[in-house]
């Protein structure tokens, strides 16, 4: 599968709430590190992340990957991600943010997925209180800094 086809299948699976198809893009021992929910290891948990976690408080996902670059082992792609929130305080607002996907590839599949994202605009879109936004962003920053494997990506 080409890089472009893999990324399209990745986005389509999320948009179609197809955790099984999404998880098949990963190695058996693959890990997805989500910016909001943390790490999901193995295909079963990765599929559940899409089918359950993602859709617990959101619907109508749109995910697009842009400008992918890969050396066959590591794949980087800039992305835009949006959804309609089903949280009561969001009143059906649509949230959007941008980020960079960082994937380690093995045997044509994703072995490890990380992302660095600016999620603050999404929280503003959802009309979260500034104090809540500050707390979420601070937590994400601390978690990112605590991951040694991310240091090479943060430069």
């Amino acid at each position: 599968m080409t890089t472009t086809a893999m990324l399209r299948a990745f986005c389509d699976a999320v948009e179609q709430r197809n955790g099984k198809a999404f998880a098949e893009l990963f190695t058996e021992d693959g890990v997805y590190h989500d910016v909001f929910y943390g790490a999901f290891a193995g295909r079963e948990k990765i599929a559940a992340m899409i089918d359950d976690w993602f859709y617990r408080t959101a619907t109508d996902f749109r995910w697009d990957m842009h400008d992918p670059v890969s050396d066959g082992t590591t794949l980087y792609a800039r992305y835009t991600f949006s959804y309609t929130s089903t949280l009561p305080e969001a009143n059906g607002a649509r949230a959007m943010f941008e980020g960079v996907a960082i994937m380690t590839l093995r045997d044509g599949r994703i072995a490890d997925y990380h992302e660095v994202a600016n999620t603050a605009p999404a929280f503003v879109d959802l009309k979260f209180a500034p104090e809540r936004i500050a707390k979420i962003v601070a937590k994400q920053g601390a978690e990112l800094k605590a991951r040694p494997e991310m240091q090479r990506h943060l430069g």
Side-chain angles (χ1 to χ4, degrees):
M1 178 181 305
T2 67
T3 299
T4 303
M6 177 191 293
L7 292 175
R8 188 68 260 155
F10 183 101
C11 296
D12 287 348
V14 172
E15 293 172 3
Q16 296 164 9
R17 195 177 188 172
N18 189 342
K20 183 177 180 353
F22 188 81
E24 285 296 318
L25 296 168
F26 286 77
T27 60
E28 287 285 338
D29 62 344
V31 181
Y32 183 105
H33 300 269
D34 186 75
V35 71
F36 292 114
Y37 303 118
F40 293 79
R43 288 184 179 155
E44 184 177 330
K45 289 185 179 175
I46 291 169
M49 177 192 66
I50 299 303
D51 293 338
D52 182 22
W53 288 85
F54 271 37
Y55 281 83
R56 279 185 189 178
T57 59
T59 189
D60 191 27
F61 288 89
R62 176 63 192 218
W63 201 339
D64 291 300
M65 297 281 185
H66 312 281
D67 308 318
V69 176
S70 179
D71 65 1
T73 303
T74 304
L75 168 61
Y76 295 93
R78 184 176 57 80
Y79 69 78
T80 51
F81 184 79
S82 66
Y83 57 90
T84 301
S85 177
T86 58
L87 291 168
E89 67 265 37
N91 294 317
R94 185 142 191 97
M96 192 281 294
F97 61 91
E98 296 178 296
V100 175
I102 306 160
M103 301 176 215
T104 302
L105 306 175
R106 186 172 70 232
D107 301 325
R109 296 186 189 271
I110 304 164
D112 197 63
Y113 173 94
H114 286 274
E115 56 191 2
V116 177
N118 180 7
T119 57
F123 298 127
V124 172
D125 292 342
L126 298 176
K127 299 176 180 40
F128 283 8
E131 299 80 23
R132 185 172 181 192
I133 295 170
K135 184 177 178 182
I136 291 167
V137 172
K139 180 182 177 209
Q140 289 175 344
E143 289 172 356
L144 189 61
K145 287 180 184 176
R147 288 192 246 163
E149 71 276 11
M150 294 304 293
Q151 297 312 307
R152 71 183 174 111
H153 301 294
L154 296 173

